[in-house]
Amino acid sequence: MSALYRQLPAIDRLLKTELGSDLVVTFGHSAVVQLMREQLQLARDFIKQQQQLPHFCQTDTDFMQYIEQQLQQQRQVKIQPVHNLTGTVLHTNLGRAIWAETAQQAALHAMQQNVALEFDLAQGKRGHRDQAISELIARLTGAEAACVVNNNAAAVLLMLATFAQGKEVIISRGELIEIGGAFRIPDIMAQAGCKLVEVGTTNRTHLRDYAQAINENTALLLKVHSSNYQIMGFTASVSEEELVALGREKNIPVITDLGSGALIDFRHYGLPYEPQVQAKVTAGVDLISFSGDKLLGGPQAGIIVGRQALIDQLQHHPLKRVLRCDKVILSGLEATLRLYLEPENLTHTLPTLHALTQALTTLQQQAEQLQQALQHKLAADFIIRVETSDAQIGSGSQPTAKIPSCAVTLQAKSGKAEDLYRLVAQFKALSQPIIGRIEADKIWLDLRSVANLAALLTTVNEL
């Protein structure tokens, strides 16, 4: 073992080689030396356990090439692009909505330059970072004003903390939802310092249930849209209009967590109905919160719209500063919202709506192109077909609704599951991993959720 230890290269000597000098110029002396020391320690540990040299220490060249490879990997961002072929358009684990081109450009400009984030150009003095978006959302929804935070859970937290800390909030038992990551409405209420008051039953809640629960300590009446589940059968719920009337009578604000937050009627595009923000504003709901990166099709954000006086209180709460968005997100969100001023163009300008409304004939043609590319690489071991598929919106929107789609399926000729999972691993190891789904002993690559077919076909060539 002593002889093996003596074969390990010396850092000083390696740094004086041509490759060593090049690495120092490219990555810096500190990074190169630090990584060399780490790898040499790993080599010593390997010798101690295995009584042989590790593969990267067979020669000086092996070691330096390995160091260069590791240094390159250190530079790689781990949140890497993937091809989404799951059939779920708004896939939470894959980043939800893809930004529109105008939103990308607006965000890039905000990154590269100083922007009038909290500066009123007309008045020449400090302004408010939500002002431009507030005016735009008011125009789109009919609400008096808006407030923007970093996600919809934060929006709910801010509303509860501002108006109900130390007080009671009444909610239907059937609306005590849990969202992704095991975050639950009762937990958010607890963090906001308010007391949850459940009314009704899981499947049926009536207006009288709310009325009977109101007392002098009631701060809010809360509605939560069940976007990620559905209760069917013998059910009853209270509409916003009914709850608003009760709230006005008792002088208690009504707030709604709308979740996905559609600004357009999706039925016009042949898609399942999703409650619109404008309808809740018209119903008289005092505050409505929704997400920016779901059906809206923009960056992650929590948007609250409603009465000016209440929005002003939210803006002045200490939590607002904690939860506020930066210039990049606000720029991307504003650019996304401005697309809604031209609704007839949305299927072309908004990637989320474009994906959801693509014609089946188009998807069929794309699937055939992908099938052909895969045949060249995998036909020896897999049966590759184009089949009809069921896609979905995702991110909790219309969980039971299916959208017709087309997929390329791959079935192992051997019939062995391990061959299927070996191909899944191969897909994930590509420079831009391909993420599909497994059903009925096949890999399904659904074209409804693909962002860039040309880039996908290029990636397939790596197989």
Side-chain angles (χ1 to χ4, degrees):
M1 286 193 3
S2 297
L4 292 173
Y5 287 134
R6 286 194 296 272
Q7 292 182 49
L8 294 177
I11 292 177
D12 289 342
R13 176 169 53 81
L14 292 177
L15 290 175
K16 294 176 183 177
T17 64
E18 182 178 354
L19 182 53
S21 299
D22 290 343
L23 292 180
V24 169
V25 170
T26 304
F27 300 98
H29 183 272
S30 299
V32 174
V33 171
Q34 176 67 24
L35 188 58
M36 283 183 171
R37 287 172 178 167
E38 291 173 358
Q39 297 307 314
L40 286 174
Q41 184 57 51
L42 289 175
R44 294 185 189 98
D45 295 339
F46 186 87
I47 292 170
K48 183 177 181 181
Q49 295 171 6
Q50 304 293 332
Q51 288 79 53
Q52 61 180 351
L53 288 171
H55 70 91
F56 58 86
C57 285
Q58 298 299 316
T59 67
D60 286 358
T61 301
D62 290 337
F63 183 76
M64 293 304 288
Q65 288 177 345
Y66 186 73
I67 292 297
E68 182 179 20
Q69 180 185 30
Q70 295 299 306
L71 288 166
Q72 292 287 2
Q73 288 182 4
Q74 280 187 176
R75 286 186 166 182
Q76 298 300 312
V77 176
K78 296 303 181 184
I79 302 178
Q80 66 181 113
V82 301
H83 294 291
N84 177 11
L85 286 101
T86 63
T88 301
V89 174
L90 294 172
H91 200 301
T92 297
N93 304 133
L94 301 182
R96 290 185 180 168
I98 295 173
W99 292 24
E101 185 176 345
T102 55
Q104 296 175 38
Q105 289 300 317
L108 183 61
H109 290 156
M111 294 177 200
Q112 294 176 330
Q113 305 173 61
N114 292 119
V115 295
L117 179 64
E118 293 184 358
F119 185 74
D120 189 324
L121 291 170
Q123 299 294 326
K125 60 182 182 180
R126 180 167 182 156
H128 195 286
R129 65 174 57 204
D130 290 355
Q131 185 61 40
I133 286 182
S134 181
E135 294 173 355
L136 181 54
I137 292 177
R139 181 178 173 184
L140 291 170
T141 67
E144 294 179 7
C147 170
V148 183
V149 290
N150 57 24
N151 64 19
N152 189 49
V156 175
L157 176 66
L158 179 60
M159 291 190 294
L160 294 173
T162 302
F163 300 109
Q165 192 168 38
K167 297 182 179 181
E168 295 180 357
V169 178
I170 301 175
I171 182 174
S172 167
R173 184 168 282 110
E175 296 173 5
L176 293 174
I177 68 166
E178 176 180 308
I179 60 177
F183 288 97
R184 300 176 174 181
I185 286 291
D187 297 335
I188 294 174
M189 285 190 174
Q191 290 299 317
C194 54
K195 180 181 178 182
L196 165 68
V197 177
E198 303 175 34
V199 296
T201 63
T202 301
N203 59 319
R204 292 177 69 81
T205 301
H206 306 280
L207 186 63
R208 64 176 180 272
D209 295 321
Y210 290 93
Q212 291 169 0
I214 292 174
N215 59 44
E216 67 280 358
N217 201 37
T218 302
L220 296 170
L221 303 179
L222 172 61
K223 284 281 292 181
V224 179
H225 176 51
S226 57
S227 59
N228 61 355
Y229 71 97
Q230 289 185 356
I231 300 176
M232 296 177 287
F234 186 57
T235 65
S237 61
V238 179
S239 68
E240 270 87 352
E241 289 84 353
E242 295 174 289
L243 209 55
V244 165
L246 177 62
R248 296 287 185 270
E249 178 188 340
K250 301 295 185 180
N251 196 30
I252 300 172
V254 176
I255 66 174
T256 292
D257 171 8
L258 198 52
S260 295
L263 293 183
I264 54 175
D265 190 341
F266 278 80
R267 292 173 296 185
H268 292 164
Y269 304 92
L271 296 167
Y273 170 72
E274 185 74 19
Q276 287 177 255
V277 177
Q278 296 93 321
K280 306 307 177 185
V281 172
T282 301
V285 178
D286 297 288
L287 292 173
I288 304 134
S289 73
F290 54 98
S291 296
D293 57 344
K294 294 184 180 179
L295 291 178
L296 185 68
Q300 177 181 297
I303 304 168
I304 307 171
V305 303
R307 289 167 47 198
Q308 181 76 61
L310 300 182
I311 294 293
D312 287 344
Q313 288 181 256
L314 294 174
Q315 297 286 17
H316 288 93
H317 193 281
L319 267 181
K320 174 54 167 63
R321 185 173 182 86
V322 176
L323 303 172
R324 71 183 184 180
C325 297
D326 75 341
K327 62 177 183 178
V328 174
I329 294 297
L330 290 174
S331 298
L333 179 59
E334 182 185 348
T336 302
L337 289 166
R338 291 197 178 278
L339 296 176
Y340 283 85
L341 297 173
E342 302 171 7
E344 290 83 5
N345 296 329
L346 280 173
T347 55
H348 303 293
T349 57
L350 197 66
T352 295
L353 192 59
H354 175 73
L356 291 172
T357 57
Q358 283 191 99
L360 271 176
T361 52
T362 301
L363 297 179
Q364 176 77 24
Q365 293 169 359
Q366 294 177 355
E368 290 170 358
Q369 287 181 263
L370 178 59
Q371 179 193 29
Q372 185 176 9
L374 290 169
Q375 288 277 15
H376 289 309
K377 303 288 184 176
L378 303 171
D381 299 311
F382 292 89
I383 301 168
I384 306 170
R385 299 189 180 97
V386 174
E387 300 189 42
T388 59
S389 177
D390 288 324
Q392 58 184 357
I393 295 174
S395 289
S397 301
Q398 296 292 333
T400 62
K402 302 298 183 183
I403 303 173
S405 187
C406 286
V408 174
T409 63
L410 299 103
Q411 185 176 14
K413 290 182 177 180
S414 66
K416 296 178 180 179
E418 54 263 35
D419 289 340
L420 210 59
Y421 285 99
R422 192 177 297 115
L423 181 57
V424 168
Q426 192 176 355
F427 281 157
K428 291 179 180 178
L430 295 169
S431 62
Q432 185 170 347
I434 295 174
I435 311 297
R437 67 180 192 265
I438 294 181
E439 288 179 8
D441 298 323
K442 299 176 185 177
I443 297 173
W444 291 71
L445 303 178
D446 194 308
L447 277 297
R448 174 72 68 182
S449 53
V450 172
N452 188 322
L453 179 65
L456 171 63
L457 295 176
T458 299
T459 301
V460 167
N461 286 331
E462 298 175 17
L463 286 168

